[in-house]
Amino acid sequence: MAEVRLVDIEKKYGSFLAVPKQSLTIHDGEFLVLLGPSGCGKTTTMRMIAGLEDITSGDIMIREERINDKPPKDRDIAMVFQNYGLYPHMTVRQNIEYPLKLRGIAKAARTKRVQETADKVELGALLDRRPSELSGGQRQRVALARAIVRTPSIFLMDEPLSNLDAKLRVTMRAELKHLHHELGVTTVYVTHDQMEAMTLATRVAVMREGRIVQLDTPKKIYAEPADLFVAGFIGSPSMNLIDGKVSDGVFRADGVNVPVDLPNRDGVVLGIRPEELEITDDATAPIGGQLYALELTGESTLVTLRNGPVSACARGHADFEAEINSPCYLTPKPGARFHLFDRASGERLDGVKH
Amino acid sequence: MKDRLLPYWLLIPAFIIVLATTIYPLAYSFITSFRDWDLTESRRPGGFVGVENYAYAASESAFLNSLWVTTVFVVTSVILTVILAVALALLLRRTGPMHTFTRIILILPFAMSPALIGVSYRFMFNPEFGVLAQGLGAVFPALQGVPWLADPLLAMGILVLTDVWHWTPYMTFMCLGGLASIPRETEEAARIDGASNLRIIFGIILPQMRGVILVMAVLKTIFALKMFDQVVTLTGGGPGTSTETLAYFIFNVGFRWFDMGYASALAWILTAIMMFISIWYVRMLLSERKMATA
């Protein structure tokens, strides 16, 4: 159990600023996800916590102890790598046993803990195989077992599921979540997959160009994205973002008229989630255009309409059918909310009328 | 001419060249190895003598000596070269301007002709004016005036040194290639698991390098078995016959004493040793592959 604090940490490679100065506190027992597109500094941040990367300036505290200069092995952490990082010349048993062996734990105790851990991740029967004889999912379990066998106070996971196929990823996601619930160990998890972040996290830190742009619960990030980047990044299909301007208290774009509480200005982006829109015949609906595409996803149909440069998508009923290019209108569902952003800075603007 | 025959016609010139330069001499020397042929008496091979040439080799002390010399040379040279190459590769695997520069100048010893290496080391170890002999004497007074190349053990040592100096760079590059193929995560995982630097090298990196190190060792063994140039230019096989390697001995038998039949038999003994090692190596390598992909 441990709280991790990053205090004014900064990372530079030569003159390139990978992670600008910022702070972050990871609470005890929390599952914190660092989410962002590739190259946003999330892995670098995690590697700094692990001690695999030096910090240019700032402090890393674990349990209020400054650990900047401690080698990785003395930080009481365990890490799961994207490519598993298994030792190919060792059997599954030897892989899991290795951290215990290095810590001088007696043979009998080691054997017992390896067996218990292997059973926990359902590897009990595969202990004498080599990593090359295992499937991707099994290898990932070995990596997990190697991390949990030592009962560290912090888990670091660097895109652990991204090398697995889609179906396995969902299963493993649930297993990870269960494991975290069971062990209650502080976990830092890096991913570029917003779905993983939403499903696993206690809190999500959305990162962009090295900077944390929003740090909050998945629910809050989904409901109230801090800026245009987060709004577009979180959610699938992603939020409709419509360029337009405000005049006379109304947000206007081609076929779009939404009353807002903002003074007249150009360069405004209106956002609304597809699942908060519904299809209507009412020609006075806030969003109107021609039907552009229908995509059946199984449980629903994604309805996309276009009007000049404006494009908007709604999650409609699976049975919805209409002619392509026929007029189509979208209206917010009860309780739905519009978001407003400044085009140039991406910042969130208040002033949406509900 | 039919099109499907064309490829064969195109292959014929290459086939003839290979036949004339490789297969024919090989076959000819194999046949010669069963004949009596003294070049000072006849320009043509003499009569067949069965395995007499081979039988003679088994009892001749000069040949047995060269076999022993070659074994000592191969074992020390291979072990030293491989260890040095692995160590250098571990030092040089990081990237950076200095590492790249060092890698580039490292290739120079390998670019030098072995005969030239022999000559220069001969000069450098000359007790009167050799820079290495003088330098060593200046640093360690006990080494002043040591007749380096006149002592059997030291001469062998210097012969090994020249070969190690010549081959280490190339082997280092092979090793660097092998190191680059090891996923960085295994090393980082070990670091987090609590392994010391030495344990990471011996417990994590080197086991993954087994295949590459094996290839290095076998290639180096085959090259060392053929050691000839430096013997000629550095020691001339001496003092006495203490650095007379198999290849050098065969050369003497054939082109100094002109006993072509015996020389051919000896050459085939050397070929057999190398073939044996090559076959063993391929089998080891295949089983290594099987283990890696199983």
Side-chain angles (χ1 to χ4, degrees):
Chain A
M1 300 292 119
E3 180 184 82
V4 183
R5 283 203 304 132
L6 312 182
V7 186
D8 291 333
I9 57 155
E10 185 181 45
K11 177 69 188 180
K12 280 182 186 165
Y13 294 103
S15 60
F16 173 73
L17 184 62
V19 177
K21 192 168 279 193
Q22 59 192 326
S23 298
L24 168 67
T25 300
I26 301 149
H27 303 311
D28 183 20
E30 177 173 48
F31 199 119
L32 183 100
V33 174
L34 297 173
L35 172 69
S38 56
C40 75
K42 54 193 192 301
T43 297
T44 306
T45 306
M46 167 172 286
R47 290 172 59 87
M48 286 193 284
I49 301 175
L52 295 172
E53 222 48 87
D54 289 331
I55 314 166
T56 310
S57 69
D59 289 314
I60 294 186
M61 320 281 285
I62 295 181
R63 284 202 204 89
E64 288 307 307
E65 184 195 355
R66 184 173 175 277
I67 51 139
N68 290 27
D69 305 319
K70 278 197 172 182
K73 68 187 172 79
D74 296 332
R75 297 186 177 198
D76 201 12
I77 51 168
M79 187 156 167
V80 178
F81 294 86
Q82 179 175 357
N83 302 322
Y84 320 124
L86 300 180
Y87 312 126
H89 56 293
M90 300 185 194
T91 61
V92 170
R93 183 193 307 281
Q94 289 166 330
N95 262 284
I96 302 175
E97 197 177 20
Y98 196 62
L100 299 179
K101 207 166 159 183
L102 291 174
R103 279 172 169 68
I105 290 168
K107 175 90 187 147
R110 278 195 330 241
T111 312
K112 187 164 163 270
R113 280 201 14 216
V114 168
Q115 191 64 49
E116 282 169 6
T117 312
D119 288 341
K120 195 171 279 171
V121 293
E122 293 164 31
L123 279 174
L126 303 172
L127 281 175
D128 293 316
R129 300 245 188 121
R130 276 178 195 267
S132 56
E133 298 168 297
L134 302 179
S135 69
Q138 289 167 335
R139 285 180 207 189
Q140 193 51 267
R141 285 204 184 94
V142 179
L144 265 179
R146 189 176 61 183
I148 62 180
V149 72
R150 221 172 68 210
T151 53
S153 45
I154 297 152
F155 282 139
L156 303 175
M157 304 194 183
D158 186 6
E159 310 222 10
L161 305 183
S162 57
N163 277 10
L164 305 179
D165 63 62
K167 200 174 159 189
L168 199 55
R169 210 176 299 160
V170 176
T171 327
M172 285 297 286
R173 208 167 68 197
E175 286 183 29
L176 278 179
K177 186 143 198 180
H178 180 78
L179 211 59
H180 177 251
H181 178 76
E182 201 178 23
L183 303 172
V185 174
T186 311
T187 305
V188 184
Y189 185 105
V190 163
T191 183
H192 60 264
D193 182 332
Q194 53 96 14
M195 195 65 162
E196 259 170 44
M198 298 297 278
T199 48
L200 286 167
T202 318
R203 283 191 307 159
V204 179
V206 187
M207 292 186 72
R208 184 193 187 192
E209 286 161 13
R211 210 174 284 279
I212 297 174
V213 286
Q214 189 169 11
L215 171 64
D216 220 321
T217 60
K219 209 172 200 168
K220 198 77 185 292
I221 284 179
Y222 177 84
E224 224 171 280
D227 69 6
L228 203 50
F229 171 75
V230 180
F233 199 72
I234 303 285
S236 174
S238 56
M239 183 187 280
N240 294 305
L241 295 168
I242 300 164
D243 276 312
K245 59 182 179 183
V246 175
S247 60
D248 305 326
V250 178
F251 173 90
R252 296 176 203 277
D254 289 346
V256 181
N257 292 287
V258 177
V260 293
D261 195 11
L262 271 185
N264 292 357
R265 61 183 287 175
D266 286 343
V268 177
V269 179
L270 178 87
I272 184 157
R273 298 207 175 272
E275 44 275 32
E276 295 185 333
L277 285 172
E278 61 188 1
I279 302 134
T280 171
D281 296 329
D282 179 5
T284 65
I287 303 172
Q290 288 78 47
L291 184 61
Y292 180 73
L294 288 177
E295 297 159 272
L296 180 69
T297 62
E299 84 280 11
S300 61
T301 296
L302 297 178
V303 180
T304 308
L305 67 76
R306 283 210 174 166
N307 192 339
V310 171
S311 171
C313 174
R315 197 183 276 281
H317 197 271
D319 295 333
F320 178 79
E321 273 176 30
E323 286 292 316
I324 298 295
N325 289 330
S326 63
C328 179
Y329 303 97
L330 303 176
T331 189
K333 289 178 182 169
R337 64 183 295 185
F338 286 102
H339 309 266
L340 289 169
F341 304 96
D342 180 58
R343 171 85 267 169
S345 69
E347 270 172 47
R348 184 179 185 86
L349 303 168
D350 287 319
V352 173
K353 279 182 178 164
H354 294 286
Chain B
M1 188 166 40
K2 285 196 174 151
D3 272 357
R4 67 192 175 87
L5 284 180
L6 186 64
Y8 298 97
W9 282 108
L10 293 174
L11 275 175
I12 280 179
F15 186 72
I16 289 174
I17 290 170
V18 171
L19 203 67
T21 58
T22 312
I23 313 285
Y24 175 74
L26 268 178
Y28 193 85
S29 74
F30 188 65
I31 294 166
T32 307
S33 76
F34 294 102
R35 302 174 87 154
D36 180 25
W37 184 11
D38 187 338
L39 208 58
T40 55
E41 288 168 5
S42 159
R43 289 176 60 186
R44 301 192 169 282
F48 281 92
V49 293
V51 295
E52 195 180 284
N53 287 323
Y54 290 93
Y56 182 64
S59 64
E60 200 207 10
S61 64
F63 165 72
L64 296 177
N65 171 68
S66 76
L67 207 57
W68 170 245
V69 167
T70 307
T71 309
V72 170
F73 174 78
V74 167
V75 170
T76 47
S77 154
V78 168
I79 291 177
L80 286 176
T81 308
V82 170
I83 291 178
L84 258 179
V86 171
L88 274 176
L90 285 170
L91 287 174
L92 287 175
R93 86 191 145 124
R94 286 170 56 183
T95 47
M98 273 317 280
H99 289 82
T100 312
F101 177 71
T102 315
R103 284 190 206 186
I104 291 169
I105 57 166
L106 193 65
I107 199 70
L108 289 177
F110 188 63
M112 262 177 88
S113 129
L116 197 62
I117 294 173
V119 174
S120 27
Y121 271 82
R122 188 181 183 139
F123 279 125
M124 289 195 288
F125 276 104
N126 185 299
E128 280 167 39
F129 54 78
V131 60
L132 279 179
Q134 297 278 315
L136 282 167
V139 180
F140 308 101
L143 296 180
Q144 259 166 25
V146 170
W148 291 97
L149 290 165
D151 180 278
L153 204 62
L154 291 177
M156 174 56 97
I158 294 170
L159 185 66
V160 170
L161 173 72
T162 61
D163 191 51
V164 171
W165 185 79
H166 179 53
W167 277 102
T168 300
Y170 180 74
M171 292 292 155
T172 304
F173 281 105
M174 277 189 78
C175 204
L176 278 169
L179 276 176
S181 68
I182 295 180
R184 198 173 66 160
E185 283 87 353
T186 54
E187 196 188 324
E188 292 180 340
R191 186 147 283 148
I192 290 176
D193 280 347
S196 62
N197 285 337
L198 274 183
R199 275 199 99 133
I200 288 176
I201 289 174
F202 287 103
I204 304 296
I205 295 179
L206 291 186
Q208 295 188 69
M209 294 278 293
R210 258 187 59 130
V212 177
I213 291 174
L214 188 72
V215 174
M216 282 164 61
V218 173
L219 280 182
K220 185 68 197 77
T221 305
I222 291 172
F223 289 128
L225 278 170
K226 299 192 293 187
M227 177 44 122
F228 178 75
D229 304 44
Q230 281 115 301
V231 180
V232 175
T233 57
L234 181 75
T235 65
T241 54
S242 59
T243 56
E244 204 170 77
T245 57
L246 196 47
Y248 185 69
F249 179 64
I250 296 169
F251 169 80
N252 278 341
V253 171
F255 298 101
R256 285 225 173 110
W257 308 328
F258 301 114
D259 190 344
M260 301 311 270
Y262 186 38
S264 299
L266 294 176
W268 272 93
I269 292 175
L270 179 58
T271 309
I273 296 172
M274 292 201 285
M275 272 166 76
F276 177 76
I277 293 175
S278 306
I279 290 168
W280 171 79
Y281 145 70
V282 170
R283 296 184 89 175
M284 284 277 277
L285 206 66
L286 285 179
S287 70
E288 186 84 10
R289 289 256 165 80
K290 215 177 275 171
M291 227 172 72
T293 54

